[in-house]
Amino acid sequence: NANAKGDSLYDVATKDPLGFWESEAKHLYWSKPWEKVLDDSNKPFYKWFVGAETNIAYNCLDVHIKTARRNKLALIWEGENGDFRSFSYFALHRETCRFANVLKSLGVKKGDRVTLYMGRVPELIIGMLACARIGAIHSVVFGGFSVEALHERLEDSQSKVLIVSDGAYQRGKIIELKKIVDEALQRAATVEIVLVVKRTGHQINMESGRDMWYQELMNLPIASSGECLEMVDSEHPLFLLYTSGTTGKPKAILHTHGGYMVGTYTTFKYVFDIHDEDRYWCTADPGWITGHSYI
C-alpha cells in the first residue's frame, strides 16, 4: 500500500530526473504551464518550472475544498494549557482568505515582507498561507528567540508587517512575546504595522497607529470581501528562513513557490508515505524547515 512501490521509482528518477520531477509537478495545479522544467544555466541559481504560474496556498487548500476533503480535518491543534481547536479544509481556507483580505486592506502587496513571531498557534499557519496567497514573502522567526535575534531578522528581511501573539505558554510560564517585539522595534525602522493575536490575555502595550488586534480585524467586513488569490511566477519568492546564527550573522535561505511546492509535495508523499486516512503529527516548530514544510 506504499506510495513508493519498490525500486522502480528510484530507477525512473535516476535515469530521467527532469522527467520524474515533471511528472510529479503534473499532480499539482498550475494556472500557466512551464516552458522548461529546469534552467541550470546560472549555477547555483537554479530555476524550476520556468515560465509557469501557480500558488502554493491554492494547492494546499483550494484544490481540496472542491472535493469530499472539504469537510475533512486539515489542522488539529492542542495548546500547552489544554486548549483545543480544529479546522476542516473548508474552515482553514475561509480563515486564510479572510486574513489575506485583511493584509491587503493594510496595504500589503505582492513582494512585501511579513515576519511572524508567535507561539505555536493556528494563526501562525493561517498567516503563512495568507501571505503566500497574495504573493507576499513571509519569514517565520522562532517564538523563543531573543530581542537581538528578532531585530536582526527584521532588519535583514526589511519586513513591513510583523505578526505576533501577545504571549506564548511555554513550560507553564508565559513568554512575553509582545514585550520582546516592542524592544526590537525600537531599532527596526522598516516595520509599519504590528498585528497582535490574543493568546494569553495578559496586559501588554499597544502602540497607537501601529499595533492592531488580529481578532478585531478578522471580524471587519473587509475580511470577507472575496477569496483574494494571486497567481505568481514559479520563481516568485515564497518565504525566507534564517539559519540559527549561533556562529555568526544569521543567513536567509530563500524558497520560491514552484520548486519548493513540488519538492515538498513529493517528499511528503514518498518519504512520509502519507495516505488520505493517515493523521500526521509534527513536533518541529514552523520556525524550522521541517515544521514549516510538513505542517
Side-chain angles (χ1 to χ4, degrees):
N1 195 37
N3 289 321
K5 298 186 190 304
D7 291 343
S8 60
L9 178 75
Y10 299 95
D11 294 338
V12 169
T14 302
K15 287 171 185 171
D16 182 14
L18 296 189
F20 169 78
W21 288 115
E22 184 167 37
S23 67
E24 291 300 322
K26 286 177 179 176
H27 293 297
L28 298 161
Y29 175 81
W30 305 79
S31 59
K32 182 182 172 186
W34 50 89
E35 298 152 14
K36 190 177 183 181
V37 177
L38 173 65
D39 177 359
D40 59 357
S41 60
N42 185 27
K43 297 173 183 176
F45 301 102
Y46 296 89
K47 293 182 179 180
W48 285 93
F49 309 106
V50 180
E53 289 185 358
T54 188
N55 188 298
I56 194 171
Y58 186 93
N59 280 286
C60 285
L61 297 173
D62 299 61
V63 296
H64 302 301
I65 63 167
K66 298 170 185 173
T67 71
R69 288 196 192 103
R70 62 178 282 145
N71 296 318
K72 185 180 176 184
L73 291 182
L75 180 65
I76 304 166
W77 173 82
E78 188 172 340
E80 182 177 306
N81 60 343
D83 293 355
F84 178 87
R85 291 159 73 192
S86 63
F87 297 80
S88 65
Y89 278 97
F90 179 80
L92 192 57
H93 174 264
R94 180 192 63 217
E95 293 303 298
T96 299
C97 289
R98 289 179 71 84
F99 191 45
N101 284 317
V102 166
L103 289 173
K104 282 197 84 169
S105 74
L106 295 171
V108 179
K109 57 188 186 298
K110 184 178 174 182
D112 283 344
R113 270 80 72 200
V114 176
T115 291
L116 299 103
Y117 178 69
M118 308 163 78
R120 291 172 287 279
V121 289
E123 287 78 11
L124 177 54
I125 308 301
I126 291 164
M128 288 161 56
L129 289 164
C131 287
R133 198 168 185 84
I134 61 174
I137 306 160
H138 65 276
S139 167
V140 178
V141 177
F142 172 55
F145 276 168
S146 66
V147 171
E148 190 54 47
L150 175 61
H151 167 251
E152 281 185 325
R153 287 158 177 77
L154 286 171
E155 283 287 289
D156 186 77
S157 65
Q158 298 287 287
S159 286
K160 180 178 180 179
V161 174
L162 174 60
I163 307 166
V164 62
S165 46
D166 53 2
Y169 294 105
Q170 196 164 307
R171 298 174 187 168
K173 296 178 182 176
I174 291 177
I175 307 299
E176 296 193 41
L177 298 178
K178 180 59 167 62
K179 189 175 179 181
I180 293 170
V181 160
D182 289 340
E183 196 172 330
L185 291 187
Q186 291 175 6
R187 294 176 277 168
T190 61
V191 175
E192 300 169 10
I193 297 166
V194 178
L195 303 179
V196 186
V197 175
K198 192 171 285 186
R199 168 74 177 120
T200 59
H202 74 283
Q203 192 69 32
I204 61 168
N205 171 61
M206 292 290 283
E207 192 79 32
S208 178
R210 185 196 70 183
D211 300 352
M212 289 170 263
W213 289 106
Y214 171 93
Q215 281 88 349
E216 289 179 5
L217 292 171
M218 289 287 273
N219 286 324
L220 294 176
I222 188 68
S224 52
S225 58
E227 293 200 347
C228 201
L229 177 70
E230 176 107 26
M231 287 292 165
V232 295
D233 186 85
S234 176
E235 280 294 305
H236 182 72
L238 172 61
F239 69 97
L240 297 165
L241 198 62
Y242 286 85
T243 56
S244 296
T246 48
T247 55
K249 188 177 178 181
K251 291 169 277 294
I253 307 298
L254 172 69
H255 291 278
T256 61
H257 274 251
Y260 174 79
M261 176 175 75
V262 176
T264 306
Y265 163 80
T266 307
T267 50
F268 197 56
K269 178 171 66 175
Y270 291 133
V271 179
F272 290 94
D273 194 41
I274 295 298
H275 296 74
D276 260 5
E277 65 275 12
D278 290 334
R279 187 169 289 189
Y280 166 76
W281 178 44
C282 183
T283 60
D285 189 283
W288 316 124
I289 193 65
T290 314
H292 200 114
S293 301
Y294 299 113
I295 296 176

